[in-house]
Amino acid sequence: MDRVRERINELNRKGNVPRLNPRIGREAYLESAEKIYDSGINYYRNKEYDKAYVMFLRFAILVGRELPTHPDSYGKVPPELIEHMDAATRYACELKQQLVYRFAHEEQRIAESARNLALPTTPGSPRPSSIGSRLTAGSIPIQPRSDSLLPQSPRPRSSESFPAFSERGQPLRPVTIPRDILTLFEMVSNANTAKGIETCGILFGYSSPTSFLVTDLLIPKQTGTTDTCSMENEEEIAEYQIENDLTMIGWIHTHPTQSCFMSSVDLHTHSCYQNLLPESIAIVVSPRSEPRYGVFRLTDPPGLGIVTRCTERGFHVHEDLGDRPAYRDADGPTGHVRWTDAHRKTKLIDLRVL
């Protein structure tokens, strides 16, 4: 976790800008700001997200903190730059979350490689968690994990091992989900649902070369509205993943006032997960509608590519899709998701009560 924090802090240092020099004309700074913003957009479209994050952070600091102090600005910034600053701030916040997840994933793989070069370990053996150790008697109880359903040792890859494929023909490893996760998530989101506020969570589990098993439901600190939910303190999420040697398999959220579907905001959120792991899933729970839940993934192509390249924010239409679907069910007859009613329980960690 320290390495993840160090890498984010290094990007933050690169994103900072020196204090404004009043002897340099205001127009030069305005031109520089536009170039920085354009660079951020280009990096984003090219999926160079670490460089995009630095550019958007640099732009937001230059326009928000420095430009208003220039003698020729009289405390004001051109309206078009204000609009860009709002967009850059949203980009930076979203990219930071995605980079934390990516860095955690990379550091986890580095740690796994180091362990494999050291002493042999038992696949799937849980490790102590400093987050878990902070749970108190007033916290939501955590059920012990049974290892009987963990993915077994690697088997030769065959057509039977990969019953599902993406639209481009890429094999998708099956994902098994305990059915009790739906009841558990509805229970922890009831208070927000009653107020019409969305709730979100992260799905963690174990992986093998041929399959995934969801074992943990983590509810991060978050803020929500009637149609959005934003996670906070992403470092805690990465810390839990690394310390428990888990794979992030997807996410889950409620639609307390809407039906079960993926909004444009949901599509953008899920593109971050699916770009990291093609088998990633998004579960939508709609307690007041039928069907009450759905398990989805972006089509690939065209959904994943179009949503990833899209630079719009908020609720919008992806016109490039035309009549083609942006997403599809992942637990249907041709999907890669399987539900299980086996005698085991999902482990619940609710960071909101810590």
Side-chain angles (χ1 to χ4, degrees), residues 185 188-201 219-220 222-230 251-259 261 263 265-266 269 283-287 315 352:
F185 184 61
V188 298
S189 60
N190 270 341
N192 280 345
T193 298
K195 295 181 287 188
I197 296 175
E198 285 195 5
T199 305
C200 58
I219 310 297
Q222 57 194 266
T223 56
T225 67
T226 57
D227 49 25
T228 62
C229 188
S230 300
W251 64 301
I252 184 171
H253 74 292
T254 57
H255 278 187
T257 61
Q258 302 180 76
S259 58
F261 72 103
S263 69
V265 173
D266 297 339
T269 299
I283 301 179
V284 179
V285 177
S286 302
F315 296 98
R352 300 173 302 175

Side-chain angles (χ1 to χ4, degrees), residues 124 126-127 129 132 142-147 150 176-178 180-181 184-185 201-206 213-219 240-241 243-252 283 344-350:
R127 301 162 61 197
S129 168
I142 297 179
Q143 297 86 3
R145 178 189 287 117
S146 167
D147 292 342
L150 294 182
T176 300
I177 311 174
D180 77 318
I181 201 169
L184 197 62
F185 184 61
I202 304 292
L203 307 175
F204 286 113
Y206 292 113
L213 173 66
V214 175
T215 59
D216 294 41
L217 169 61
L218 184 141
I219 310 297
Y240 182 79
Q241 176 183 2
E243 291 187 350
N244 289 277
D245 197 16
L246 297 171
T247 298
M248 184 181 295
I249 303 174
W251 64 301
I252 184 171
I283 301 179
R344 71 181 311 282
K345 292 185 178 180
T346 303
K347 179 180 177 182
L348 173 68
I349 292 287
D350 192 340

Side-chain angles (χ1 to χ4, degrees), residues 2-18 50 53-55 57-58 61 65:
D2 288 340
R3 276 293 301 144
V4 174
R5 189 176 291 109
E6 288 174 8
R7 292 173 70 176
I8 292 295
N9 287 340
E10 177 61 25
L11 294 181
N12 289 340
R13 284 191 288 271
K14 291 180 178 179
N16 201 2
V17 296
D50 51 347
Y53 173 71
V54 169
M55 290 296 106
L57 192 61
R58 192 173 293 172
I61 294 174
R65 188 188 73 188

